Amino acid sequence: MADYFKGNTEYFPGIKKISYEGPKSDNPLAFKYYDPEKTVGGKKMKDHLRFAVAYWHSFCADGSDPFGSATHVHPWTADASSPMEAAEHKLDAAFEFFTKLGAEYYCFHDRDMAPEGSSPAESEKNLMAIVAKAKERQKATGVNLLWGTANMFNHPRFMNGAATNPEFKVVALAASQIKTAIDATIELGGEGYTFWGGREGYMSLLNTDLKREKDHLAMILTMARDYARGRGFKGMFYIEPKPMEPSKHQYDFDVETVAGFLRHYGLDKDFRMNIEANHAELAGHDFFHELETAASMGLFGSVDANRGDPMNGWDTDQFPTSYTETALAMYAILRAGGFTTGGLNFDAKIRRNSVDPADLFEAHIGGMDAFAAGLIAAQRMIDDGKLSGFVKQRYASFDSGEGAKFEKGGMSLQELAALGTVYGNAGITSGKQERLENIVNQYLLNL
Amino acid sequence: MADYFKGNTEYFPGIKKISYEGPKSDNPLAFKYYDPEKTVGGKKMKDHLRFAVAYWHSFCADGSDPFGSATHVHPWTADASSPMEAAEHKLDAAFEFFTKLGAEYYCFHDRDMAPEGSSPAESEKNLMAIVAKAKERQKATGVNLLWGTANMFNHPRFMNGAATNPEFKVVALAASQIKTAIDATIELGGEGYTFWGGREGYMSLLNTDLKREKDHLAMILTMARDYARGRGFKGMFYIEPKPMEPSKHQYDFDVETVAGFLRHYGLDKDFRMNIEANHAELAGHDFFHELETAASMGLFGSVDANRGDPMNGWDTDQFPTSYTETALAMYAILRAGGFTTGGLNFDAKIRRNSVDPADLFEAHIGGMDAFAAGLIAAQRMIDDGKLSGFVKQRYASFDSGEGAKFEKGGMSLQELAALGTVYGNAGITSGKQERLENIVNQYLLNL
Amino acid sequence: MADYFKGNTEYFPGIKKISYEGPKSDNPLAFKYYDPEKTVGGKKMKDHLRFAVAYWHSFCADGSDPFGSATHVHPWTADASSPMEAAEHKLDAAFEFFTKLGAEYYCFHDRDMAPEGSSPAESEKNLMAIVAKAKERQKATGVNLLWGTANMFNHPRFMNGAATNPEFKVVALAASQIKTAIDATIELGGEGYTFWGGREGYMSLLNTDLKREKDHLAMILTMARDYARGRGFKGMFYIEPKPMEPSKHQYDFDVETVAGFLRHYGLDKDFRMNIEANHAELAGHDFFHELETAASMGLFGSVDANRGDPMNGWDTDQFPTSYTETALAMYAILRAGGFTTGGLNFDAKIRRNSVDPADLFEAHIGGMDAFAAGLIAAQRMIDDGKLSGFVKQRYASFDSGEGAKFEKGGMSLQELAALGTVYGNAGITSGKQERLENIVNQYLLNL
Amino acid sequence: MADYFKGNTEYFPGIKKISYEGPKSDNPLAFKYYDPEKTVGGKKMKDHLRFAVAYWHSFCADGSDPFGSATHVHPWTADASSPMEAAEHKLDAAFEFFTKLGAEYYCFHDRDMAPEGSSPAESEKNLMAIVAKAKERQKATGVNLLWGTANMFNHPRFMNGAATNPEFKVVALAASQIKTAIDATIELGGEGYTFWGGREGYMSLLNTDLKREKDHLAMILTMARDYARGRGFKGMFYIEPKPMEPSKHQYDFDVETVAGFLRHYGLDKDFRMNIEANHAELAGHDFFHELETAASMGLFGSVDANRGDPMNGWDTDQFPTSYTETALAMYAILRAGGFTTGGLNFDAKIRRNSVDPADLFEAHIGGMDAFAAGLIAAQRMIDDGKLSGFVKQRYASFDSGEGAKFEKGGMSLQELAALGTVYGNAGITSGKQERLENIVNQYLLNL
């Protein structure tokens, strides 16, 4: 990988390329577990994990929150004389960060990368100009685009929804924005295109036509899919479930809801889930649950890697630090076949009061180490087969005989009921939950 | 309606048939709003509301909770010399209660009505013996069965699931129990048959095969439907969503999850939702949301009328008292066409420390008044059309022209995007949420 | 009340003074229940309710949220050529709103009213200049200041806390800001001064010294009290409990926590609680609970009137609409002696998509009607004494004899134990919860 | 330790004394981290951790839940011919379990150990008879009593409260029960006596006099303290906070609430907190928060070691498995001086479907290993001082000069405000949260 940022202004001076130093290192700017070229289960760590940096949190967000103004000062914005120049400086800062960190991928919204213009045409022009520069930097650095998306939640025009807006004109503007964002994604060789519907929901049911809004959403997704496929896009489309916030209720509530929606509207061949830990939790689910649920339906795609705080009821988007959670996540992902077009995108932000430039690095390092450690543990779980062997054995009565006949659909209720004539001790078999939990812990502590 | 309980032991002595006395009455044993024969929107209140009493909470539950033993003493059990005699006394008490209260319907689980025997055959015999007696009492009183169901969560054999049990033998026993419960429901002329999957879920994902369990669940539902239809059952099948408790996670999480499941397995023609307010809340939804969501998909069926406590994270199953909630519920139900085979079943229990015999009456009276008041308010909402008119107007841009063309699927993304070329003030239209909320309140206060 | 805004630019053109039209009016810009001069329980409604408008939500907030930019356009800002001119125009708009709405009071943070300067001295100068103008407008309109406060959460300098900041210099800056805000409050004849500690808490326990931070907080409160009393301030000090947001955890978690804190540090003579419905809920409490708890400890002071959404885990600050909640709130408040220096401050904001100028009026009207209806119901509860009579009777065994002796502290454990020698049926007395809930509903529906 | 159970019926046949085998062992019945005699920070692990087994969950609870009947069969009950014989067999089983597991302590409620009689006198007689036998077994095995308590939540007489019951007679019966439980605790050399107020709260505020109930609670605690001290009891009294369940609201909501209560009623010299992880979570707090909060007020005492499920809103009482949580807990405990009279009591239960006798052992082993690993990590945190050093430095401006003067109370608001005259960059210092989180993880992964 070329040292991209030479010749440009260095926006993170004093920070060198992050390297692996092992679990005992006390260098906060070194990896303890993530060793990109190390092979785990026959594949390099970096190819398993496919880390991506989120453009919005890392280079656009400014530390403001509903009760406080910006705390994060961005030198890449400060030294520019126009919004477009600022956008290019931000691009420099981003690629400097990607390469110093050693991330293979990034993700962006259209408006993260280039400023909105005074018309859709100008917005498109702005975006495509920066995309051209991003393409050069991708080539120079080897960093690639995991997926692109369109920001259809920030602007006031989307306050009542984008694809689900009650005004047709806004739906048309959304379509225009999606088309451009798809074009940008294709131009940058993006491996996916994501929909997160922050305003696709409602603030009040009293003014909402649920059926019409969901039909419109499906229509737009269908049209977007057809457009991109028509342009030769081979990547995956993702829906990112989230139950609420900013809307009171969002249509892409959780994996099950989205699965039902995709199947109902015939979109389940082209769309997969982009699953976020924090969103899972807000919907009342463990991250592991959402991953396993998507995988069990063949709809797992990619991950927005972060964590929430179960004591806080909003999207805190913290960097992942729970090794138990990352181990179970990687266990689900590996068993689902690993990432193909997807990856681990850090949809995570440093805290408002983390104002040192190094904090952004340390936060990503912590997250990457958490998933690297999780990967190692998960591979061991798979290799020794204790967990999966237990599960397989638990359902063995359906592998042959009457159980297998039942499973294949070859029985009527009468026939099946006729087999259930003696109570005996049926069903009184321990689930061994505590043992399995201890086993998971042991993998983690023996990295 | 005959005075059924004459000649039997009177289990609620001193309490007469509850009558309507109007909003100013200070008789705790009188209806303030529920006036069964009164016409609202061209239909009698009783035919709108179709109130049912839940056999389990009202005649079986004993006030015990995870930290305390029974507080509710049931005279109908105390004066019996055998479990079957106790079951018949309970039946007497139940029909005395139904008729004194003026409920048109009841609902039961097999095990509420008759004790489990030492074998499936004996359990069936027990149930059918009591069913024969129930049939007589139905005839004598005019009280009918809203729906029946099988209790497949209490017995230890179901601790790992019923239809989703990892042991085939338990699935067969579950099938046997379902078959008998369907037979009982048919015998009693039940208008529906309900599935609530308290153990159809998991305690730990570590020992669970999600796909296999959900496939098995669908298989059993399919077999049950085929069996009942084969026996000529014309009633509706219901799934009752609940996200958790007693399991850590249940497959019938919420309306959207169940809708996806029913459609995926081709069950959406015969199955509808039985929606419970408290379960909605546990899943992170308003009761109104769940009703509207089911209605918008054509899957609304029946209601388990109760409320939870948003400050307590478990199923408190309290009697409904929020007139705002009942008004919005009835507004959703009336717009969905009202109840056909379904009704308002009080899946609600008096508090553990409500130990007066009259408490059971007062609790039901409060719930019936809440829904009667809600019905009156809802009918007014419909009659004057302020709310629906606002919503219709809000989406008017899709009723004709390009908007209508979009909605019908006649556009490509390029065409639609081409319509979105000027930002202007698109989308900056007030949702008028506060006005609509004020209007809803006004209906309620002007009953 | 003078028609204040004549001669000024009218910022809410087309909206006249809101008047009472009664429950049947379908004018969205009229009161249905709030009839300011009407006497309830021997006192005018307006003197019971003491409505205040919150300067921040109504004249400063712009509809932005964590995922979206401003939607509310403020003409009073747009037509100004400097921040100080904008501040005066905002003041005009605010007093126009107060008088048209008929609110008797308002509340403000220093930074709502006047822009921060480049130094504490300039900030003070800015504030006092606007305060002088506010004083004139108060005199002209008869609208008074319920309480003032200092915004010590928005600026980056407070990102690690204000009084609890780990840097002494920030604590000194906070003190300087508090001093000025107290001066402003005194100048405007404010009846109270409030502390809400949005940043007085922690983001991470790992970097926090709990004891030291709480000691510092108490020190600042003590110093502020001493300063204001020294200047002759007779008003009340308020702490406004909130459990979290923006901080992960805030020290003023709930009423019990704050009561323990005030008593421990000897502040309970001068400080009372300003209780907010939405904050109560975020802490796991009903609004009624927090009010009753504060009242039971003699620490009830004022109210931030709003509501949250129990399905959303953040501070939604919606306008109050639940008549049950307002009735119980007013029941608690009346029994606590009613408001003395406190009042009902609408710490509530219109939704982001409520962009019509009338929405702000309609939202306040809805909230005022909700509390007016609640007041009427609460007064009836008190007048007929059904609820309080039941409670009094329930504890009657402590009013005389051995029970009274116990309550006065005149018994040892041995003596008391010696009285408990027979189990009998002790304690098996119904709590009559369902009856009491029905009674509460009846008051509401018979307004 | 003597092999106690020789000569008795062996209730856990086939299970030998659990021994330490180290992190690589794949024996589910061996410790991986808990090595009792191993020295950590100059003290044996067993003396740090002081593990106790909870009599109720391990020997009384039967796997029933609100939706299901008993699944756990207890041989010690099955082979007895009377309740008192069953109680003695249970005692045998318990001491067999304690000694095989290697727990140093146990905890009990009066009713766990001996059946309630038909009168307080008979209940006392029953309990003291079993206590005499327990004393022998304690002597024979070296297992000691960590604390005793009285079960005042199960019996119907307490359905409206025990010390807070509105009927004086019930309060007297509660006193009688407490007196006996204190006597039993003293007789067994218990190191503490605990109050958990499952029914000391309310089901409905409508029928509750908060002030009177809390006064009564304080009175009973005072009387109990005086009685025990009068009998020479030197142990600690504990309050165990829990916010709700079984009551809607409990008075001992959380650590802050209880601290305020104890201080207000002058009980903070004799009472400390017994903090439970699951209860902390139900109150909206991290376990670590509750421990640190109690420690910061000098009120930390003991721990009920378990965990909840943040996705389930009730008391799941699972065995602790999160090494991050145990590490932070032990870090708080060690810094608070470690346990003196307190310890780690496993108030945890195996899942309803964990029906193998070995499950109880494996669950405890998992919990003990979790705390042993946490202890090792916590000691390292203390030894290298990275975390505490960071915190100390963060507040250094209060260690000398004006900051120290402020902290000592030597300043007025005017003086302090006069120090805050320049904004500058005050407060813009990173909290380094991400770095500190990474450091905590590193301790854990390097055990």
Side-chain angles (χ1 to χ4, degrees), chain C residues 40-251:
Chain C
V40 174
K43 200 165 150 183
K44 289 181 180 178
M45 269 197 173
K46 69 179 185 182
D47 297 328
H48 272 296
L49 298 169
R50 296 167 59 88
F51 288 123
V53 174
Y55 215 91
W56 50 101
H57 278 314
S58 292
F59 310 110
C60 309
D62 59 8
S64 61
D65 70 18
F67 298 86
S69 54
T71 54
H72 298 160
V73 177
H74 296 147
W76 47 87
T77 304
D79 67 355
S81 59
S82 74
M84 283 299 285
E85 193 183 323
E88 189 171 355
H89 291 193
K90 181 159 51 169
L91 196 66
D92 286 335
F95 276 82
E96 180 187 340
F97 184 80
F98 303 155
T99 49
K100 284 185 167 176
L101 182 67
E104 315 279 323
Y105 293 96
Y106 71 108
C107 298
F108 74 94
H109 299 85
D110 48 1
R111 299 300 185 247
D112 304 333
M113 238 191 200
E116 174 150 336
S118 60
S119 68
E122 189 180 325
S123 294
E124 180 173 358
K125 196 180 132 212
N126 288 350
L127 179 59
M128 296 318 265
I130 302 292
V131 159
K133 295 177 190 296
K135 199 171 179 180
E136 291 167 18
R137 282 155 182 81
Q138 288 188 190
K139 201 174 167 193
T141 61
V143 176
N144 290 310
L145 177 63
L146 191 66
W147 47 257
T149 186
N151 177 331
M152 304 192 299
F153 46 87
N154 184 289
H155 196 279
R157 80 175 62 93
F158 298 123
M159 72 185 187
N160 291 311
T164 63
N165 199 290
E167 292 177 52
F168 173 63
K169 199 170 172 185
V170 178
V171 177
L173 284 163
S176 144
Q177 197 174 330
I178 292 168
K179 182 181 165 297
T180 304
I182 289 175
D183 290 344
T185 299
I186 291 174
E187 178 66 16
L188 291 170
E191 303 191 17
Y193 186 86
T194 292
F195 289 88
W196 172 67
R199 306 280 176 197
E200 312 293 22
Y202 61 79
M203 294 303 292
S204 170
L205 256 180
L206 294 176
N207 60 21
T208 302
D209 184 327
L210 284 179
K211 184 174 185 323
R212 220 162 177 179
E213 294 208 354
K214 286 196 268 186
D215 285 350
H216 294 179
L217 178 57
M219 187 69 74
I220 288 288
L221 298 180
T222 304
M223 289 160 69
R225 187 241 353 238
D226 292 347
Y227 172 73
R229 293 292 181 235
R231 284 213 47 205
F233 179 63
K234 307 283 187 215
M236 189 55 75
F237 292 92
Y238 303 114
I239 302 281
E240 181 175 327
K242 188 179 183 187
M244 67 190 87
E245 197 202 16
S247 301
K248 169 183 167 43
H249 174 92
Q250 276 149 231
Y251 296 133

Side-chain angles (χ1 to χ4, degrees), chain C residues 167 212-213 395 399 429, chain D residues 167 212-213 216 395 399 429:
Chain C
E167 292 177 52
R212 220 162 177 179
E213 294 208 354
Y395 296 85
D399 289 338
T429 309
Chain D
E167 292 177 52
R212 220 162 177 180
E213 293 208 355
H216 294 179
Y395 296 84
D399 290 338
T429 309

Side-chain angles (χ1 to χ4, degrees), chain A residues 123 160 167-168 202 207 212-214 216 248 256 286 289 394-395 397 399 407 421 423 429 431, chain B residues 120 123 160 167-168 202 207 209 212-214 216 248 256 286 289 394-395 397 399 407 423 429 431:
Chain A
S123 294
N160 291 311
E167 291 177 53
F168 173 63
Y202 61 78
N207 59 21
R212 219 161 177 181
E213 293 209 355
K214 287 197 268 187
H216 294 179
K248 169 184 167 44
E256 285 277 10
D286 305 307
H289 168 89
R394 200 173 181 229
Y395 295 85
S397 60
D399 290 337
E407 200 173 66
T421 55
Y423 288 141
T429 309
Chain B
S123 293
N160 291 310
E167 291 177 54
F168 173 63
Y202 62 79
N207 60 20
D209 184 328
R212 220 162 176 181
E213 292 209 354
K214 285 196 268 188
H216 294 179
K248 169 185 167 43
E256 285 277 9
D286 305 308
H289 168 90
R394 201 174 180 227
Y395 295 86
S397 60
D399 290 338
E407 200 174 67
Y423 288 141
T429 309

Side-chain angles (χ1 to χ4, degrees), chain B residues 367-431:
Chain B
M368 291 161 85
D369 275 338
F371 272 97
L375 168 64
I376 297 168
Q379 186 62 47
R380 292 203 190 147
M381 293 181 200
I382 285 172
D383 290 345
D384 81 4
K386 274 189 196 174
L387 295 173
S388 58
F390 180 86
V391 175
K392 188 161 174 39
Q393 182 55 34
R394 201 174 180 227
Y395 295 86
S397 60
F398 294 98
D399 290 338
S400 61
E402 300 285 4
K405 187 179 167 196
F406 159 78
E407 200 174 67
K408 280 176 201 123
M411 274 187 201
S412 69
L413 190 72
Q414 296 99 310
E415 288 173 89
L416 182 56
L419 297 173
T421 55
V422 182
Y423 288 141
N425 279 320
I428 316 299
T429 309
S430 175

